[in-house]
Amino acid sequence: MLKNWVVVPTRLPLVLRRCHACASERFRASGKFRVNANHKLIDAWLLALCTACGETVKLTVLERMNVRSIRPELLDRLHDNDPGLTAELLQDPVVRRRNRIALDWDNAWRLDTGGSDHLDREVIDVSVRFAARIPVRPVRLIAEGCGLSRAEAERLITEGKLVSAVRLSGKLSGDFTFTLKR
């Protein structure tokens, strides 16, 4: 029987970028946008606050774009400070690359296993789905979901009792499946 697990974000990730005021390296997205139009051109920024001193930094979303080339629903979401848009833009690799930022997902997600009724079975087939692109070590997810230590999960991998089509070392942010044989 296939069990479904879901990795769900619990809050927005922290933005990793150096603060020019206090040299801290963490910002939290405020969920607010600043939109500035100059004739036919528009700029938009996502505002983030330093976790140490509260200094505001602007993360570029749109830069010198023609107003007519932007979808009206995107403009509405920017003007309404849509929290869903904040999450989408933080996940967008173009926005992250343009602003030279990385995301810190520590303590910003949880694993929903649907209960612990699967732990007593000899063979467990699990499909892990990510609700957002959260980079997590699969060994950590498996250990947490099955009530094992990480060392024990790694031992099961080397013994061939924990198998998957994807590499279980390193980090993943995409869906995968695995089979655990006890």
Side-chain angles (χ1 to χ4, degrees):
M1 182 172 123
L2 183 68
K3 286 293 291 181
N4 292 308
W5 292 0
V6 182
V7 178
V8 182
T10 56
R11 63 169 172 80
L12 291 174
L14 294 177
V15 175
L16 298 176
R17 177 178 172 168
R18 183 171 291 282
C19 177
H20 70 277
C22 72
S24 170
E25 295 188 359
R26 301 202 185 306
F27 286 82
R28 68 178 166 75
S30 68
K32 305 261 188 243
F33 293 94
R34 176 156 185 243
V35 181
N36 185 26
N38 185 4
H39 299 287
K40 294 179 183 178
L41 300 178
I42 192 167
D43 296 304
W45 300 275
L46 171 62
L47 303 179
L49 304 171
C50 177
T51 57
C53 68
E55 185 72 20
T56 302
V57 68
K58 297 186 296 188
L59 304 176
T60 303
V61 176
L62 301 173
E63 189 171 34
R64 297 311 218 187
M65 298 280 298
N66 191 313
V67 175
R68 292 180 188 249
S69 68
I70 300 170
R71 296 184 328 269
E73 58 272 5
L74 176 59
L75 279 175
D76 289 341
R77 291 176 76 189
L78 287 168
H79 288 298
D80 294 340
N81 293 320
D82 184 357
L85 181 61
T86 301
E88 290 173 30
L89 291 172
L90 286 176
Q91 296 273 331
D92 187 354
V94 174
V95 171
R96 290 199 322 248
R97 188 171 40 255
R98 176 186 294 150
N99 292 286
R100 294 186 199 100
I101 61 171
L103 300 179
D104 178 9
W105 281 98
D106 288 348
N107 302 316
W109 59 272
R110 68 175 161 41
L111 177 65
D112 287 341
T113 60
S116 61
D117 60 337
H118 62 281
L119 296 179
D120 56 350
R121 299 194 176 165
E122 283 295 314
V123 178
I124 306 168
D125 290 319
V126 178
S127 170
V128 180
R129 189 177 60 77
F130 287 79
R133 291 178 42 220
I134 303 170
V136 182
R137 296 187 185 282
V139 172
R140 178 179 178 187
L141 289 177
I142 294 167
E144 184 177 319
C146 294
L148 306 170
S149 68
R150 271 204 261 175
E152 190 174 354
E154 289 174 1
R155 182 183 55 79
L156 290 170
I157 291 171
T158 58
E159 291 175 358
K161 294 182 177 181
L162 179 57
V163 293
S164 177
V166 299
R167 192 174 56 120
L168 295 176
S169 61
K171 288 188 176 184
L172 283 177
S173 59
D175 302 350
F176 69 97
T177 59
F178 71 89
T179 302
L180 173 62
K181 302 171 193 162
R182 295 189 189 224

